[in-house]
Amino acid sequence: MLIPNVKSVTRIGVISLLLAALSAQAEPVDINIASAESLSQNIMGVGPVLASAIVAYRQTNGPFSSAVGLLDVRGIGTKILQDNAKTILVDGKAFEN
């Protein structure tokens, strides 16, 4: 029988708590008007680099017609859309799969 390393269990617990705290703080964000900072703070899985890519894509190609349009941004995948279904807004409406 394997006994888990206490440090590993503690580390996993701390990471889980941090992720829960971050997701609890996330607020709905409209991808057509939000700043890169707001996008990275409120969309799980999107950091400053991806958030800047979303804004750059929007500036080059115009507003997103749906959240699915984020898939055209390099680095954004379906998991990000699914994990943030209630957070990602387009013109005030949440993404629905």
Side-chain angles (χ1 to χ4, degrees):
M1 180 164 119
L2 292 173
I3 299 173
N5 180 326
V6 174
K7 280 186 177 180
S8 296
V9 171
T10 303
R11 195 171 293 142
I12 291 169
V14 169
I15 291 170
S16 296
L17 287 173
L18 288 173
L19 289 174
L22 287 174
S23 65
Q25 294 175 2
E27 295 182 15
V29 60
D30 192 317
I31 59 174
N32 281 329
I33 58 174
S35 66
E37 181 180 8
S38 180
L39 292 167
S40 67
Q41 289 174 350
N42 293 296
I43 301 177
M44 288 188 317
V46 172
V49 172
L50 270 180
S52 293
I54 292 169
V55 172
Y57 184 92
R58 183 179 71 207
Q59 290 172 341
T60 301
N61 298 288
F64 293 95
S65 58
S66 75
V68 175
L70 284 174
L71 296 175
D72 293 331
V73 179
R74 185 179 176 141
I76 302 288
T78 56
K79 180 155 177 40
I80 289 177
L81 293 183
Q82 292 169 347
D83 289 349
N84 295 281
K86 294 182 180 176
T87 305
I88 298 173
L89 304 178
V90 176
D91 301 327
K93 296 178 185 171
F95 169 67
E96 296 178 11
N97 15 340

